[in-house]
Amino acid sequence: MKIGNIDLGDRPVSLAPMEDVTDPSFRLICREMGASSVYTEFVSAEALIRDISSTTRKLTINNAERPVAIQIYGRDPEAMVEAAKIVEQAGPDILDINFGCPVKKVAGKGAGAGMLRDIPKMLAITEAVVKAVSLPVTVKTRLGWDCENKIITDLAPRLQDCGIKALTVHGRTRSQMYTGQADWTLIGQLKRDPRIEIPIIGNGDIITAEEAKQAFDTFGVDGIMVGRGAIGAPWVFKEIREYLDSGIYTPLSDAEKFDILRRQIRESIDRIDEYRGILHIRRHLAATPLFKGIPNFRESRIRLLRADKESELFDILDEIKSRFFVVV
């Protein structure tokens, strides 16, 4: 599959953009684990053109994580164009427009998935951004605003006409947020639409290698994107890639998974500082499937998520490993 001149290979599996998750360290780990491409945290166009330091830091990428996309969001066409030009100078491989974020502080202000209620403006922004940069521009969106307005099959050809090079669709409406089960039916319908010539990438509820293969086989998508299934489990990309390529996969050992979590902690602290780095990484520690199903784990979990020193956190991880795991 190609996005512009960027070749992502056969049946690519990409890391989805996620706020407070897809920082440079996590992106690099996911690439090392087999992700075909990675996306930054989404970047506010308004904050970017105001040169807000916490936002401009999100533009930091390195060659080892390529192909990498930077994703922007906003509701003002002029701001989006200016932000796109700033992003281009950062040197990503792809520029992605976020028309899918459902959270109130974004969608409620008319950006992200909020654009699903103002299609003329969505199309105007898309066309203007495409014309403003030489990068391949892509879009990520949802099925529609709510279940009564699943408009993606009519919207996709219009976005394509704006000049985008690929479209990622999350199989939920904005109103669903992240509840219920992702519906890939309309995503598959897009792939069968003779009007659609650009790659269609499916997103939503891909957690296992088997689910990834089923998405390709059942819905015929060109690529898939993994989001929440990778939080605390970047090794999911290794499992998916091996399963797609050979029909089998070899899971990492528990010891290797502990090593990856420790690396995430160290690199998060090095990137920010000890206190904020640990706060940032707690989401991964809370979500990791490594600890799922362990009996009598509640006390250890509470201690793990309350630790605010690197040494304390590593001691707790070592205790968990020796108490609940057989590691050779």
Side-chain angles (χ1 to χ4, degrees):
M1 185 190 92
K2 284 188 175 183
I3 296 179
N5 63 350
I6 307 300
D7 191 345
L8 300 181
D10 182 44
R11 295 189 292 182
V13 182
S14 299
L15 171 66
M18 292 178 284
E19 181 69 4
D20 293 327
V21 175
T22 54
D23 59 75
S25 170
F26 186 63
R27 298 197 304 264
L28 182 56
I29 292 172
C30 290
R31 280 287 286 133
E32 292 172 358
M33 289 286 106
S36 305
S37 66
V38 294
Y39 286 63
T40 65
E41 301 172 77
F42 37 87
V43 177
S44 163
E46 295 286 350
L48 191 57
I49 62 179
R50 294 201 308 271
D51 199 28
I52 304 299
S53 60
S54 60
T55 298
T56 58
R57 281 197 297 269
K58 294 179 181 179
L59 303 185
T60 302
I61 58 179
N62 64 68
N63 286 331
E65 63 181 291
R66 296 186 186 277
V68 58
I70 293 178
Q71 188 188 70
I72 60 173
Y73 73 92
R75 62 181 179 180
D76 179 71
E78 291 183 3
M80 287 289 281
V81 165
E82 185 62 29
K85 293 177 180 178
I86 295 172
V87 166
E88 186 170 31
Q89 296 304 308
D93 301 287
I94 297 165
L95 171 63
D96 191 65
I97 305 176
N98 180 329
F99 291 141
C101 178
V103 299
K104 186 175 181 180
K105 68 177 183 179
V106 175
K109 296 179 180 179
M115 280 291 169
L116 289 163
R117 294 196 293 183
D118 193 344
I119 300 305
K121 181 180 280 190
M122 176 193 286
L123 297 174
I125 286 174
T126 304
E127 186 173 9
V129 169
V130 168
K131 290 180 178 178
V133 298
S134 59
L135 293 168
V137 176
T138 60
V139 162
K140 187 172 190 289
T141 189
R142 291 187 166 225
L143 301 178
W145 178 257
D146 54 33
C147 290
E148 287 72 43
N149 294 279
K150 292 183 178 181
I151 61 173
I152 192 61
T153 52
D154 292 324
L155 175 61
R158 301 176 72 185
L159 287 168
Q160 177 179 263
D161 289 344
C162 291
I164 65 171
K165 300 302 183 183
L167 174 65
T168 300
V169 180
H170 183 109
R172 289 183 173 86
T173 64
R174 186 274 171 178
S175 296
Q176 286 180 276
M177 300 292 286
Y178 295 102
T179 62
Q181 186 173 6
D183 179 6
W184 284 60
T185 305
L186 294 181
I187 302 175
Q189 189 173 322
L190 285 180
K191 278 304 302 172
R192 297 189 299 272
D193 188 333
R195 297 174 296 173
I196 300 297
E197 299 176 352
I198 59 175
I200 299 297
I201 302 165
N203 176 221
D205 294 350
I206 301 296
I207 298 174
T208 68
E210 292 80 4
E211 289 168 341
K213 186 175 186 301
Q214 183 180 26
F216 280 111
D217 292 347
T218 303
F219 301 104
V221 290
D222 299 287
I224 62 173
M225 192 172 280
V226 177
R228 290 175 296 160
I231 302 175
W235 49 81
V236 70
F237 291 103
K238 173 185 181 295
E239 296 175 358
I240 292 174
R241 187 75 271 153
E242 290 181 0
Y243 194 67
L244 290 175
D245 291 345
S246 67
I248 59 173
Y249 64 89
T250 303
L252 293 183
S253 68
D254 290 335
E256 290 173 313
K257 293 177 180 178
F258 270 99
D259 286 344
I260 289 174
L261 292 180
R262 292 172 72 97
R263 174 183 169 184
Q264 287 187 250
I265 293 167
R266 287 194 305 270
E267 293 183 358
S268 181
I269 290 171
D270 290 345
R271 184 175 63 89
I272 316 173
D273 57 45
E274 185 174 53
Y275 177 72
R276 291 182 300 161
I278 289 174
L279 286 180
H280 173 76
I281 212 65
R282 281 178 180 168
R283 185 170 182 182
H284 293 269
L285 296 175
T288 181
L290 182 59
F291 305 143
K292 186 176 181 179
I294 297 177
N296 304 315
F297 189 69
R298 183 174 182 274
E299 181 182 345
S300 297
R301 176 184 173 87
I302 291 172
R303 291 174 56 219
L304 186 70
L305 299 181
R306 286 180 177 174
D308 58 8
K309 299 292 182 182
E310 180 180 4
S311 58
E312 178 187 8
L313 195 50
F314 283 170
D315 286 344
I316 295 170
L317 283 175
D318 286 340
E319 179 186 317
I320 290 171
K321 184 164 66 172
S322 63
R323 180 180 176 187
F324 296 106
F325 293 83
V326 179
V327 177
V328 296

